[in-house]
Amino acid sequence: TNGRQLSWGFSVGPDAFEFDAVSDAQDYRDQLRLFASKLAFPRWSAVPLKRTIAALNASYDPVPASAGEAFSRDLSWLLASKDGRIAPQRPADAHELTLAKFRKLWAPLLDAGPIEIELAGDIPPDQAIAAVAATFGALPARKDVPPPAANRVLHFPAATAQPVVLRHDGPKQQAAVAIAWPTGGGMAQLRESRHLEILARIIGDRLFEKLRSVDGAAYTPSASSLWPESYDGGGYLVVQTQIKPDRIAYFFTLMHQIAADLAAHPVSRDELDRQIEPIRQLLRRASSSNAFWMNQLAGATTYPARLAATRSLAADLLQVTPQDLQALARRFLVPGKSWSGVALAKGVPVPVIAPPPTTAPTTAPTK
């Protein structure tokens, strides 16, 4: 492979295992052959398994070294109701992982189920079809083994009156905080999911202004929306930031105010345009790349709705209205339905958090 455009990436998605590589017109046929050969002739070796377990044992700290590390390790798992599929790796798990068990799990997965192949680039279609036929098309017929119904379910955790507490071993003045609201999932409401991304960006900007510009603190909050397209639920809008322990209660007060204000008042056209224009520029740049289209169309053979969803992407993001966002805020940013968490140093007391307001604010929305 020296001097050739051949590589190997592997990832685990929400509903599929994926091989990926960047190749060229001269080498992509052998790249396909490399991938297909892994499925046809898997090699079961204890060496990489032992190496992975050794690395986990060497790097794992029972108590995270910082607030950021605590959230990085556990937040996604907690927001999935501690779903075992999303659980962080721990050395205790490795003791149960032998090569025999590893093979027992993986051999049926490699041998069954549909394979979707994406090729993007300046390749003549007839040549691409021939290359796929000579590699993946030469594999024996595969059994279609649908995943269990339970595998297609994700759950948001129960609402919390007081935040879930994680502990870290770092400085006592270092803390992190998060709040999340349940949303949804699935292909049917992708337009709604895209509007939630813009709502999250507005929440993040408002919180940034309050925490950093008004409060004078050097915080960098983030707000994002996770919408699992392969599931009918389990999505959420989450806001998180690192913060000093004595400002945790203040963070939750601000978040409740921002959420209530977004539900009570439509955002201004100016505030919305400040989010729309960067998205417009990003779409213009990204849509010229192969990676963009491969990402948008991945899974289309299983979910044909992705084709229409890709066509509507720009309109969904760029034609959102203040009224659309207000309707989403009223529907999802509901007092009493949120989950919250904090990461504190060992020994730091947990602050008592005031409950969210039950009525809309009377003040004007933050510009």
Side-chain angles (χ1 to χ4, degrees), residues 145-344:
V145 183
N151 285 16
R152 296 186 176 274
V153 177
L154 283 177
H155 295 290
F156 187 82
T160 54
Q162 294 296 314
V164 173
V165 180
L166 305 178
R167 291 293 182 180
H168 67 84
D169 224 359
K172 292 188 179 299
Q173 285 302 305
Q174 185 184 92
V177 62
I179 184 171
W181 291 266
T183 55
M187 295 295 299
Q189 302 295 328
L190 275 188
R191 182 173 183 269
E192 187 172 89
S193 77
R194 291 161 177 171
H195 291 178
L196 280 168
E197 294 175 15
I198 296 175
L199 181 64
R201 292 168 68 107
I202 289 174
I203 291 173
D205 276 3
R206 289 191 178 190
L207 186 62
F208 177 87
E209 180 181 334
K210 284 291 186 180
L211 287 179
R212 192 163 187 172
S213 300
V214 176
D215 196 40
Y219 305 132
T220 306
S222 68
S224 58
S225 172
L226 174 75
W227 185 278
E229 297 176 3
S230 306
Y231 303 84
D232 292 330
Y236 51 81
L237 191 156
V238 59
V239 186
Q240 58 183 307
T241 187
Q242 294 199 29
I243 201 168
K244 293 181 179 179
D246 62 357
R247 305 304 279 164
I248 289 175
Y250 176 59
F251 166 86
F252 284 109
T253 297
L254 282 179
M255 283 310 311
H256 294 321
Q257 290 175 352
I258 291 171
D261 185 73
L262 287 167
H265 308 96
V267 301
S268 69
R269 189 70 243 182
D270 176 68
E271 186 177 20
L272 180 55
D273 287 344
R274 290 201 302 270
Q275 303 301 330
I276 295 297
E277 189 54 36
I279 293 174
R280 190 192 313 277
Q281 296 176 18
L282 178 62
L283 284 174
R284 188 179 297 120
R285 294 192 302 269
S287 59
S288 64
S289 73
N290 291 332
F292 172 84
W293 294 107
M294 292 188 73
N295 181 64
Q296 292 300 316
L297 296 173
T301 53
T302 303
Y303 306 104
R306 287 190 187 278
L307 299 174
T310 300
R311 295 188 187 99
S312 67
L313 175 63
D316 290 346
L317 288 171
L318 302 180
Q319 296 176 14
V320 60
T321 68
Q323 289 71 31
D324 291 332
L325 299 182
Q326 183 182 15
L328 286 180
R330 286 178 172 174
R331 180 178 172 187
F332 293 121
L333 305 183
V334 179
K337 289 192 174 182
S338 63
W339 178 97
S340 60
V342 297
L344 295 165

Side-chain angles (χ1 to χ4, degrees), residues 11 14 29 61 81 84 95 115 124 163 167 169 252 268 271 299 304 349:
S11 59
R29 296 173 184 83
D61 189 343
S81 290
H95 298 310
I115 300 172
R167 291 293 182 180
D169 224 359
F252 284 109
S268 69
E271 186 177 20

Side-chain angles (χ1 to χ4, degrees), residues 38 41-53 97-100 102-103:
K38 167 56 69 175
F41 308 104
R43 175 172 176 247
W44 304 103
S45 170
V47 174
L49 185 61
K50 291 179 178 178
R51 187 164 55 241
T52 300
I53 292 173
L97 185 55
T98 64
L99 181 60
F102 189 82
R103 182 170 184 172

Side-chain angles (χ1 to χ4, degrees), residues 2 8 20 23 33 69 71 82 85 115 127 143 184 218 304 315 343 354 360-361:
N2 287 344
W8 194 304
D20 66 88
S23 191
R33 187 177 302 276
E69 183 180 329
F71 267 10
K82 298 185 177 180
R85 293 169 293 177
I115 300 172
Q127 293 183 19
K143 296 175 292 183

